[in-house]
Amino acid sequence: MHADVCQIYTDVDGVYTADPRKVPSAKKLNEITYSEMLELASLGAQVLNNRSVEMAKKYGVQLEVLSSLESKPGTIVKEKVNMEKMLISGVAKDNNVSRIAIVGLDDTPGVAFKVFNKLAQAKVNIDIILQSVGRDGTKDITFTVTEDQSKEAVEAIESMRDVLTFKSVSADNSITKVSIVGAGMETHPGVASKMFEALADANINIQNISTSEIKISVLIDEKDADRAVIAVHDKFIN
C-alpha cells in the first residue's frame, strides 16, 4: 500500500525497556530499531508480534505503537535511531523454554548433523545450542526448545538409539531465558560483564549463555526470573 507509517493501538502507550507491570523503573522508548524490536519480540516482549515487525522492516514502513486509551506520543519502530541513546533498549524474559540435554554422545564427525537433522524432520524449532568439549571419546549437546515441543524433541532423540550412541536424553522445563537487547552493544565492550555482575549481585546462578551482535541471553532457574529482570534492568537503565 506504500504507506509511510502503520499505527498500532494497544493497551500500552509504547514500547518499554521492560514490562512496566513487573519492573517499576521501566522507561518508555521514543524510538527503537526494527532489529532490536524483532529480538525483543522473539525473546518474550509481548507488545508487537515479530511477524509484523518483519513485514515493516521488509517494506520500510515505520511502526508507531500507541495507546488506545490515551492520546499521547508512542514509540516509533524504524531502521535507524539516534546513536546517542541508551546502551540497551530492553530486558525481556521468556518462560516458555525447555532445555534438552543429550549426555555421552560419541565424539565423532557427523553426530551433530544426525541430531539436528532428526529434530528438523520432527519439525522441532531449536534456539540456543551448546556443545561441551569432548572427553574420553564422548561429548554432551544441550539445546533449548519451547515447552510444547520438549516431548517431541526427547522422543525424536530416543528414536535414534539404533544409529546414535548416547547415555541419556532429558528435558528440563524449570528454566527461564532472560535477555538484554541493544544496538549499542556492538560498539561498547563490557556489556556481558555488566549483566553477569548484576545477576551475581542478586545471587542468581547462570546456567547457560548465548550471545549475538545485539543480544545476550542467559538461562536461569524460573523462580529467579522476575528478580533477574529487575536486577539487570536497574544495572543498565536508571
Side-chain angles (χ1 to χ4, degrees):
M1 296 175 66
H2 307 290
D4 295 319
V5 63
C6 173
Q7 295 178 319
I8 299 178
Y9 289 84
T10 72
D11 58 348
V12 294
D13 60 353
V15 179
Y16 280 75
T17 52
D19 185 344
R21 295 167 297 184
K22 298 291 182 68
V23 183
S25 58
K27 300 181 184 301
K28 189 175 79 173
L29 301 169
N30 293 324
E31 53 186 15
I32 185 172
T33 67
Y34 294 125
S35 296
E36 290 171 313
M37 193 66 243
L38 272 172
E39 289 283 10
L40 286 171
S42 65
L43 293 167
Q46 298 177 2
V47 179
L48 290 176
N49 182 282
N50 58 354
R51 180 62 174 159
S52 68
V53 184
E54 287 176 359
M55 295 298 290
K57 179 179 175 66
K58 179 178 179 180
Y59 292 102
V61 178
Q62 288 190 10
L63 296 176
E64 184 175 11
V65 182
L66 297 158
S67 170
S68 57
L69 307 173
E70 303 175 82
S71 179
K72 57 168 63 175
T75 300
I76 300 290
V77 185
K78 57 185 183 178
E79 186 64 40
K80 295 181 180 180
V81 300
N82 179 11
M83 293 307 292
E84 300 302 318
K85 65 186 187 70
M86 293 178 288
L87 179 59
I88 70 166
S89 296
V91 184
K93 72 169 182 176
D94 185 359
N95 293 324
N96 185 24
V97 179
S98 179
R99 180 176 52 203
I100 311 298
I102 312 173
V103 178
L105 281 161
D106 281 341
D107 189 16
T108 54
V111 168
F113 164 71
K114 291 177 183 177
V115 168
F116 293 106
N117 184 55
K118 184 68 175 180
L119 292 166
Q121 291 174 5
K123 294 183 168 43
V124 175
N125 292 317
I126 310 300
D127 185 17
I128 298 172
I129 302 173
L130 297 165
Q131 179 174 295
S132 69
V133 176
R135 288 190 179 90
D136 301 322
T138 68
K139 61 186 176 185
D140 305 334
I141 291 180
T142 302
F143 57 91
T144 60
V145 299
T146 57
E147 282 191 16
D148 61 335
Q149 290 198 307
S150 63
K151 182 180 178 181
E152 288 93 330
V154 171
E155 289 176 348
I157 301 303
E158 286 286 8
S159 71
M160 301 180 70
R161 288 280 186 185
D162 58 335
V163 295
L164 205 61
T165 301
F166 58 93
K167 291 180 181 178
S168 65
V169 57
S170 60
D172 181 1
N173 295 339
S174 65
I175 59 170
T176 292
K177 180 169 62 177
V178 173
S179 309
I180 58 174
V181 173
M185 291 185 196
E186 294 181 89
T187 54
H188 289 77
V191 177
S193 173
K194 195 172 181 179
M195 180 184 189
F196 303 156
E197 181 184 22
L199 294 170
D201 290 345
N203 197 32
I204 295 171
N205 187 47
I206 299 171
Q207 299 182 21
N208 296 100
I209 302 166
S210 174
T211 65
S212 71
E213 288 183 340
I214 65 169
K215 174 198 75 176
I216 301 171
S217 294
V218 297
L219 298 182
I220 61 172
D221 194 303
E222 63 180 358
K223 66 179 173 56
D224 296 324
D226 289 340
R227 287 197 307 116
V229 171
I230 292 172
V232 171
H233 181 274
D234 290 349
K235 190 74 171 178
F236 286 95
I237 301 168
N238 48 41

